[in-house]
Amino acid sequence: MTKFAPFDPAKYLDSEEAIAAYLEAAAEGGDAKHFASALGDVARARNMTELARKSNMTRAGLYRAFSEDGNPSLNNTMSVLSALGLEFTVKPVKPAKHAARKRAATRA
């Protein structure tokens, strides 16, 4: 039987373009936990110690906050994005997407 290693997206986040595309795709779903986990993947792809220093967090705090089960504050999220040289932007949702998200939210 063939054994496969777990997929680690951090291994493929090797350029600013790849990181931006990855985070943009993660944000499109509207799931905060998924976005936080994706940001954790990006943090692991970068120098975690340096990123912790630049974002005024500990390494352990970064791992914990941006893990699959983490729940980082908006302040921590913004600090990490800034430390990565990224910015948080907001744009209007297209009407069809907005309606789909609204329907999904009412079902939950």
Side-chain angles (χ1 to χ4, degrees):
M1 176 175 229
T2 304
K3 291 190 178 187
F4 295 97
F7 177 73
D8 184 5
K11 292 179 181 180
Y12 303 95
L13 299 171
D14 54 3
S15 71
E16 298 304 315
E17 293 79 18
I19 288 170
Y22 183 66
L23 290 176
E24 188 174 322
E28 283 179 357
D31 182 344
K33 281 194 170 281
H34 180 68
F35 182 77
S37 179
L39 193 52
D41 294 337
V42 172
R44 286 186 300 103
R46 298 296 181 192
N47 182 327
M48 194 63 115
T49 302
E50 181 68 15
L51 186 60
R53 186 186 63 73
K54 285 181 176 179
S55 60
N56 294 319
M57 294 179 71
T58 64
R59 271 182 98 233
L62 269 177
Y63 278 112
R64 206 173 24 257
F66 295 98
S67 69
E68 270 187 38
D69 297 322
N71 188 15
S73 68
L74 181 58
N75 186 53
N76 287 347
T77 302
M78 301 299 274
S79 293
V80 169
L81 285 171
S82 177
L84 288 166
L86 300 169
E87 67 181 3
F88 183 81
T89 59
V90 178
K91 62 183 181 181
V93 219
K94 294 181 177 131
K97 262 189 186 178
H98 181 66
R101 283 188 187 160
K102 196 172 182 181
R103 281 193 304 274
T106 57
R107 288 184 204 143

